[in-house]
């Protein structure tokens, strides 16, 4: 019962009809007293957006209603550009151990790429009706010509040829063909250049062209800054420092911003449908950029994607995950409470026959509020008492285990209070399943599990370990997304004539129960295959499992988790910088290894990072 915060100072809102529409979207932020939600202090307020950054793990950017198209699309398609960050090419480049032959091939392909960029800018400049826009596009075209000169300096510095007469590879051709087709008007709903009769039509084509170029500029500016932040000044000079410095430079950052500003200027008179066309062009360009990185030949050991060297005949990829606020946007107790309140009678009465006595809606709301308040206060006291204990030296797993045994006792007592209160009595199993079907998971969560299950090259086993009172809710949620092979380990309602009796079968109530379930699953696995275990969680209740797994991934920003973990010597490392460090240690002679109980946990801000790390782009 470990998750209680949901801002109890906020008045209880009117119940939401979860039975007829999706239960909360990623843009909603309902304030609902919910037991067991004391997992994190993060919010999902609509006026802030979390952006994954290598140097700080998470960057919160204000997202006002009125903002530029480029910025809006960059935020919207963060899952796409996150994949670019985790490609083997970028990871090896950042680590400084990318083979020089690979870098030479990349530079050769990039020359073809940049020449197409020059052509596209020329075409956009011809179409732009505004003189200032023409000047701006001309400046950007000149900056690309300077970038081509930089490539020449790479050639001289490292003493290799750009392979005169080399042909572009298929990924390069796909991007350049797409870019030039856009610039020449081969976009749905756009006339051919020779038929552009009005300045407006020409300006629209220029806007479309900039829409197909903006993501490339922004992505390279982002990579430059990210990689620059990871360069260790105490180490030998980075072999690709010149490349990194170029894209991290003020001049390139300004060019990326100028491209976005020009996109806004050229799009000011466009219709909503035409803006949607630019958005599609932007996303397509971003996907082609990722393909460009993936197409670079990597003939060396890499730490990404984790599944790259997976042999299904000899290995099993064991994926473990928490559910509430790891996979979901809201805690399951809030959902079950809402079902109880919505379906409760308006007045106290006792039903006859086989039907169960129900608490009135008003009394239920009051009881639930009191339970939540008591849980919050007691939980905070429990955590603070643990933090008063001696820290010890280094990573102290035994001390953490003992502390969480104390927390486990608290959780079980809190569960008993809920059961004894009768608030879980009379919930219809069909209502619970319907709520599960409409439950919105975290962005990218369903796609990750679907991809893992459908990947025929992987031998994958998925287990969800949760404090949820009702496993039916979890199974319904995953099943509705076409993920039926998930093994759910949670508590279960006891039913009578499809109505809950108010009692639960207690299976996973505490951190100790979770880690014991984790160990039991591994003990029952086939011994003829090697298991690589990955656990994804976000709360104190997940700490032991996160540490026991070969790879423990913390999603979100729970302050309780970090405070308690740090108290016992646990290190929290942002995933991308952690992988760069691993890659530096990785060579053909010395392979990287993942091992549990290292005391190191990797932090991410979204599921896109998890997907890119484990499964790849």
């Amino acid at each position: 019962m470990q998750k209680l915060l949901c801002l109890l100072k906020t008045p209880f809102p009117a119940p939401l009809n979860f039975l007829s529409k999706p239960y909360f979207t990623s843009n909603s932020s309902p304030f609902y007293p919910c037991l067991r939600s004391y997992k994190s202090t993060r919010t999902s307020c609509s006026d802030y957006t979390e952006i994954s950054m290598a140097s700080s793990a998470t960057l919160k950017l204000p997202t006002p209603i009125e903002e530029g198209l480029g910025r809006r699309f960059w935020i919207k398609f963060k899952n796409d550009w996150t994949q670019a960050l985790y490609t083997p090419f970028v990871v090896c480049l950042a680590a400084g151990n990318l083979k020089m032959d690979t870098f030479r091939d990349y530079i050769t392909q990039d020359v073809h790429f940049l020449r197409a960029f020059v052509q596209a800018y020329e075409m956009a400049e011809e179409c732009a009706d505004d003189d200032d826009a023409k000047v701006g596009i001309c400046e950007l075209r000149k900056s690309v010509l300077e970038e081509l000169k930089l490539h020449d300096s790479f050639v001289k510095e490292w003493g290799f040829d750009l392979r005169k007469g080399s042909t572009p590879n298929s990924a390069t051709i796909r991007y350049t063909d797409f870019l030039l087709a856009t610039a020449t008007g081969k976009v749905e709903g756009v006339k051919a250049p020779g038929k552009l009769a009005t300045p407006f039509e020409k300006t629209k084509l220029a806007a479309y062209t900039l829409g197909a170029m903006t993501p490339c500029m922004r992505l390279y500016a982002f990579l430059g800054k990210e990689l620059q932040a990871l360069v260790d000044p105490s180490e030998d000079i980075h072999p690709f420092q010149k490349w990194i410095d170029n894209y991290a430079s003020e001049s390139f950052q300004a060019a990326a911003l100028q491209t976005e500003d020009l996109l806004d200027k050229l799009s000011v008179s466009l219709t909503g449908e035409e803006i949607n066309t630019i958005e599609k062009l932007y996303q397509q360009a971003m996907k082609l950029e990722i393909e460009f990185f993936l197409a670079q030949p990597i003939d060396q050991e890499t730490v990404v994607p984790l599944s790259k060297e997976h042999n299904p005949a000899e290995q099993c990829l064991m994926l473990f995950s928490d559910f509430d606020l790891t996979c979901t946007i809201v805690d399951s107790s809030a959902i079950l409470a809402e079902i109880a309140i919505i379906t409760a009678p308006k007045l106290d009465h006792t039903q006859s026959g086989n039907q169960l006595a129900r608490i009135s809606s008003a009394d239920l709301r009051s009881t639930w509020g009191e339970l939540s308040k008591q849980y919050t206060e007691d939980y905070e006291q429990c955590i603070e008492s643990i933090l008063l204990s001696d820290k010890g030296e280094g990573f102290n797993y035994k001390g953490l285990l003992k502390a969480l045994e104390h927390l486990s006792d608290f959780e079980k007592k809190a569960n008993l209070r809920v059961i004894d209160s009768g608030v879980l009595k009379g919930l219809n199993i069909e209502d619970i399943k319907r709520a599960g079907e409409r439950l919105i998971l975290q962005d990218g969560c369903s796609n990750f599990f679907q991809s893992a299950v459908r990947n025929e090259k992987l031998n994958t086993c998925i287990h969800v370990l949760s404090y949820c009172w009702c496993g039916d809710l979890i199974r319904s949620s995953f099943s509705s997304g076409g993920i039926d092979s998930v093994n759910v380990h949670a508590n279960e309602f006891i039913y009578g004539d499809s109505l809950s009796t108010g009692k639960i079968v207690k299976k996973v109530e505490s951190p100790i129960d979770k880690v014991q379930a984790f160990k039991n699953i591994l003990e029952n696995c086939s011994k003829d295959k090697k298991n690589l275990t990955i656990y994804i969680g976000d709360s104190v209740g997940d700490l032991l499992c996160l540490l026991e797994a070969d790879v423990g991934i913390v999603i979100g920003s729970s302050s309780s988790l970090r405070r308690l973990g740090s108290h016992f010597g646990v290190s929290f490392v942002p995933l991308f910088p952690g992988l760069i460090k691993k890659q530096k240690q990785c060579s053909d002679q010395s392979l990287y290894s993942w091992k549990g109980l290292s005391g190191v946990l990797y932090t991410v801000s979204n599921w896109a990072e998890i997907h890119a790390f484990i499964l790849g782009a």
Side-chain angles (χ1 to χ4, degrees):
M1 198 174 138
Q2 193 273 324
K3 307 178 182 181
L4 173 57
L5 185 60
C6 286
L7 305 179
L8 291 170
K9 295 180 180 179
T10 304
F12 205 104
L16 300 176
N17 186 2
F18 65 91
L19 300 179
S20 62
K21 60 183 178 182
Y23 189 75
F24 299 140
T25 67
S26 59
N27 294 324
S28 65
S29 181
F31 297 121
Y32 203 105
C34 54
L35 280 162
R36 302 184 302 106
S37 65
Y38 201 105
K39 301 182 65 175
S40 126
T41 57
R42 71 183 186 272
T43 65
S44 55
C45 300
S46 59
D47 58 341
Y48 281 88
T49 300
E50 287 191 354
I51 298 296
S52 170
M53 301 294 287
S55 57
S56 60
T58 301
L59 174 66
K60 288 190 176 181
L61 298 172
T63 57
I65 295 175
E66 296 295 334
E67 60 183 5
L69 291 181
R71 188 67 193 145
R72 204 166 80 210
F73 297 158
W74 176 255
I75 291 171
K76 182 171 183 177
F77 298 122
K78 66 180 183 296
N79 288 0
D80 294 310
W81 53 256
T82 295
Q83 293 179 38
L85 193 67
Y86 284 85
T87 56
F89 173 80
V90 172
V91 168
C92 291
L93 181 69
N97 60 7
L98 181 71
K99 286 190 174 180
M100 201 55 68
D101 281 348
T102 301
F103 188 73
R104 178 186 60 189
D105 288 336
Y106 158 76
I107 292 296
T108 301
Q109 293 300 315
D110 204 35
V111 167
H112 295 294
F113 183 88
L114 291 174
R115 286 171 180 165
F117 242 60
V118 172
Q119 288 181 260
Y121 274 136
E122 287 176 346
M123 296 175 188
E125 185 180 347
E126 290 175 7
C127 288
D129 182 55
D130 182 86
D131 289 340
D132 289 340
K134 281 182 177 291
V135 171
I137 295 173
C138 181
E139 290 174 354
L140 290 170
R141 178 172 56 82
K142 290 178 179 178
S143 70
V144 177
L145 292 172
E146 289 298 317
E147 197 173 342
L148 282 167
K149 290 181 181 178
L150 177 69
H151 283 31
D152 290 335
S153 72
F154 289 149
V155 174
K156 294 176 181 177
E157 183 175 338
W158 287 304
F160 57 68
D161 295 326
L162 282 182
R163 296 180 177 177
K164 294 180 180 179
S166 67
T167 57
N169 63 32
S170 58
T172 304
I173 291 171
R174 279 194 295 273
Y175 194 111
T176 55
D177 283 357
F178 159 77
L179 183 59
L180 296 178
T182 302
T184 53
K186 296 176 183 178
V187 180
E188 185 178 352
V190 178
K191 297 178 182 179
K195 298 180 181 180
L196 295 176
T198 67
F200 171 75
E201 288 176 332
K202 292 182 178 180
T203 298
K204 180 170 68 172
L205 182 54
Y208 285 172
T209 304
L210 266 291
M213 302 174 81
T214 299
C216 173
M217 296 293 290
R218 177 49 58 198
L219 179 61
Y220 271 76
F222 169 74
L223 291 176
K225 284 294 188 183
E226 286 293 278
L227 271 55
Q228 187 182 63
L230 296 176
V231 173
D232 189 345
S234 65
E235 296 180 355
D236 294 337
I237 186 167
H238 197 290
F240 307 109
Q241 187 71 54
K242 194 171 184 178
W243 187 96
I244 294 171
D245 288 344
N246 174 63
Y247 293 110
S249 67
E250 290 185 9
S251 60
F252 192 86
Q253 298 295 316
L257 185 59
Q258 186 178 10
T259 309
E260 292 170 335
D261 289 342
L262 281 168
L263 176 61
D264 290 336
K265 187 178 186 65
L266 295 167
S267 305
V268 70
S269 59
L270 300 189
T271 65
E273 184 177 349
E274 289 162 346
I275 295 298
N276 288 338
T277 297
I278 293 178
E279 181 178 320
K280 291 175 183 177
L281 291 169
Y282 186 103
Q283 186 179 26
Q284 178 66 10
M286 185 68 77
K287 290 181 180 296
L288 290 169
E289 272 289 352
I290 296 167
E291 288 183 19
F292 180 74
F293 286 137
L294 289 172
Q296 306 312 314
I298 304 293
D299 182 25
Q300 63 186 96
E301 293 293 336
T302 64
V303 296
V304 289
L306 190 62
S307 59
K308 184 168 85 65
E309 302 299 330
H310 180 80
N311 183 346
E314 300 177 358
Q315 301 166 322
C316 182
L317 186 64
M318 302 286 291
L319 297 176
F320 294 86
S321 178
D322 175 47
F323 184 67
D324 291 320
L325 299 181
T326 294
C327 295
T328 68
I329 294 170
V330 292
D331 184 86
S332 63
S333 61
I335 302 169
L336 295 171
E338 187 177 351
I339 297 172
I341 291 171
I342 289 175
T343 61
K346 293 183 179 180
L347 298 172
D348 286 318
H349 67 280
T350 302
Q351 296 174 328
S352 59
N354 293 327
Q355 292 182 311
L356 297 167
R358 298 290 306 278
I359 303 173
S360 73
S361 177
D363 287 345
L364 180 57
R365 184 169 304 182
S366 175
T367 300
W368 189 256
E370 288 299 318
L371 287 168
S372 298
K373 182 179 179 181
Q374 182 179 359
Y375 180 84
T376 302
E377 293 173 351
D378 292 350
Y379 181 87
E380 289 176 342
Q381 291 177 6
C382 187
I383 293 296
E384 292 303 321
S385 67
I386 292 174
L387 293 174
L388 291 174
S389 63
D390 294 335
K391 286 186 176 182
E393 294 185 5
F395 173 46
N396 182 7
Y397 182 82
K398 289 184 178 179
L400 177 61
L401 179 64
K402 184 177 180 181
L404 291 182
E405 286 174 350
H406 176 59
L407 182 64
S408 295
D409 291 338
F410 159 79
E411 294 287 2
K412 293 181 178 181
K413 290 177 182 177
N415 263 348
L416 280 175
R417 286 198 297 269
V418 173
I419 294 170
D420 292 343
S421 72
V423 297
L424 301 179
K425 186 183 296 184
L427 280 71
N428 190 299
I429 188 172
E430 294 304 319
D431 287 343
I432 293 170
K433 290 180 178 179
R434 196 175 300 118
E437 291 170 359
R438 288 160 173 74
L439 181 62
I440 304 298
L441 300 184
Q442 297 274 5
D443 185 25
C445 177
S446 289
N447 186 50
F448 169 74
F449 286 117
Q450 288 169 356
S451 298
V453 169
R454 295 170 185 171
N455 191 329
E456 297 179 354
K457 296 180 180 179
L458 296 179
N459 177 20
T460 308
C461 193
I462 301 173
H463 295 268
V464 172
L465 278 60
S466 173
Y467 290 168
C468 180
W469 289 317
C470 182
D472 289 315
L473 181 73
I474 301 176
R475 285 185 284 271
S476 175
S477 176
F478 280 103
S479 180
S480 66
I483 316 168
D484 294 310
S485 56
V486 173
N487 301 284
V488 175
H489 309 267
N491 304 300
E492 304 288 351
F493 276 167
I494 298 174
Y495 298 98
D497 294 331
S498 298
L499 299 178
S500 64
T501 64
K503 305 294 183 181
I504 62 173
V505 179
K506 303 170 186 175
K507 294 183 177 180
V508 185
E509 295 187 277
S510 69
I512 303 301
D513 289 347
K514 265 195 176 184
V515 76
Q516 189 57 55
F518 177 88
K519 291 178 179 179
N520 290 343
I521 292 166
L522 293 180
E523 287 177 2
N524 292 327
C525 286
S526 173
K527 304 301 181 183
D528 60 347
K529 292 185 179 179
K530 182 179 179 181
N531 295 319
L532 176 64
T533 59
I534 301 167
Y535 190 96
I536 305 159
D538 75 308
S539 73
V540 170
D542 298 311
L543 252 176
L544 297 176
C545 292
L546 286 164
L547 291 165
E548 289 276 356
D550 294 320
V551 184
I553 301 176
V554 178
I555 187 168
S557 53
S558 168
S559 59
S560 297
L561 168 65
R562 292 167 191 262
R563 289 174 65 207
L564 194 62
S566 298
H567 185 80
F568 291 98
V570 177
S571 298
F572 295 91
V573 179
L575 180 59
F576 184 68
L579 291 178
I580 301 307
K581 184 177 180 180
K582 282 271 190 182
Q583 184 63 43
K584 289 179 179 179
Q585 302 166 351
C586 179
S587 67
D588 292 337
Q589 292 75 36
S590 177
L591 300 180
Y592 63 90
S593 63
W594 303 94
K595 187 168 59 176
L597 295 177
S598 66
V600 176
L601 299 180
Y602 296 95
T603 63
V604 300
S605 60
N606 56 57
W607 278 88
E609 287 190 80
I610 297 172
H611 192 141
F613 164 49
I614 298 174
L615 303 179

